[in-house]
Amino acid sequence: MTIGFRILPRRQGVSPDLVARFKALPVANVSDSMHRMAAAGPRLRAYHASGTLAGPALTVRSRPGDNLMLHKAIDMAHPGDVIVVDAGGDLTNSLMGELMLAHAMRRGVAGFVLWGAIRDADAIREANLPLWAMGVTHRGPYKDGPGEINVPIALEGMVIEPGDLILGDGDGVLSVPVADAPGVLELTEAKQAAETAQMQRIKAGTNDRAWVDDTLRRLGCAMPDGA
């Protein structure tokens, strides 16, 4: 086995039922349910027009500016997969454009998270397959390798194992480990129900805001009478 230039099988993945249930939940609430300790970072930007992302990760580690292994990952992908690429965060050369996106859509790929750049940004936005990347450049990629598929990768400190759940919406991208997904789902659905009830109280004018002053007093904040 050659470290750095290899393709491995994916041995685990989140179930379609979990994917569907998570997709209905805000990424922010999932993040809160994981104690806000995981994030791919604010440098990732959505380049599709609208829509959310949820699916098991097909991971790729590639040399900066090279997309040989990304091409292979698209050929390997199962419908519903999210292809996540660690290309070192380099923005000199793009990793993919509209032709690769069209091929991926034909194969049923759910979306992309690219720790690198894209090109054909207008066409990608119009195609509207969920895609997050770090930037845009017209300069194309090389196809020489090396690289790896289905290995652990990390984006801005967020570790992603093959098959982990990848989520994305307007607030960014989040990875949920396979083993933790059922428990995180339970916590997030409870949080979502609590926030829905709170929104109803806000609209009705009955939301209790006493906690704000209680917290300030507990922390020793000096306040004038009647504040």
Side-chain angles (χ1 to χ4, degrees):
M1 182 180 296
T2 303
I3 301 298
F5 202 14
R6 57 183 176 172
I7 298 171
L8 302 177
R10 186 174 63 186
R11 303 188 183 281
Q12 62 178 358
V14 290
S15 69
D17 175 66
L18 280 175
V19 171
R21 289 171 66 182
F22 267 105
K23 192 170 184 179
L25 298 168
V27 169
N29 282 356
V30 181
S31 178
D32 285 355
S33 298
M34 296 171 68
H35 293 282
R36 308 177 180 95
M37 291 295 291
R43 290 190 287 169
L44 279 173
R45 292 286 183 267
Y47 284 93
H48 57 293
S50 63
T52 60
L53 175 66
L58 176 55
T59 62
V60 180
R61 178 183 291 121
S62 69
R63 182 170 64 86
D66 190 286
N67 73 356
L68 177 61
M69 283 304 195
L70 176 52
H71 273 282
K72 181 59 179 176
I74 294 173
D75 289 345
M76 292 174 55
H78 296 291
D81 280 350
V82 177
I83 298 178
V84 187
V85 183
D86 175 9
D90 182 75
L91 303 181
T92 306
N93 297 83
S94 63
L95 295 174
M96 63 179 289
E98 64 175 321
L99 294 178
M100 291 177 69
L101 188 77
H103 177 47
M105 293 176 72
R106 180 79 175 177
R107 291 195 54 80
V109 171
F112 290 87
V113 179
L114 306 175
W115 200 243
I118 60 165
R119 67 177 179 179
D120 304 328
D122 293 339
I124 285 174
R125 184 169 297 276
E126 183 177 353
N128 203 32
L129 184 75
L131 185 151
W132 281 259
M134 293 183 64
V136 178
T137 177
H138 56 77
R139 296 176 65 171
Y142 299 98
K143 297 173 174 60
D144 303 308
E148 298 176 298
I149 296 176
N150 283 326
V151 296
I153 61 174
L155 309 185
E156 200 83 330
M158 184 175 73
V159 176
I160 303 168
E161 299 273 354
D164 282 352
L165 176 65
I166 303 298
L167 303 172
D169 65 14
D171 287 333
V173 175
L174 178 65
S175 177
V176 182
V178 171
D180 297 331
V184 172
L185 176 64
E186 182 178 352
L187 292 171
T188 307
E189 288 182 333
K191 179 175 178 58
Q192 181 70 9
E195 288 197 356
T196 299
Q198 183 179 2
M199 181 63 76
Q200 292 172 346
R201 293 192 299 271
I202 290 172
K203 291 179 178 179
T206 60
N207 192 46
D208 184 3
R209 301 286 295 169
W211 71 268
V212 177
D213 285 349
D214 291 344
T215 301
L216 290 170
R217 293 189 187 97
R218 176 176 59 82
L219 295 173
C221 178
M223 296 187 293
D225 293 339

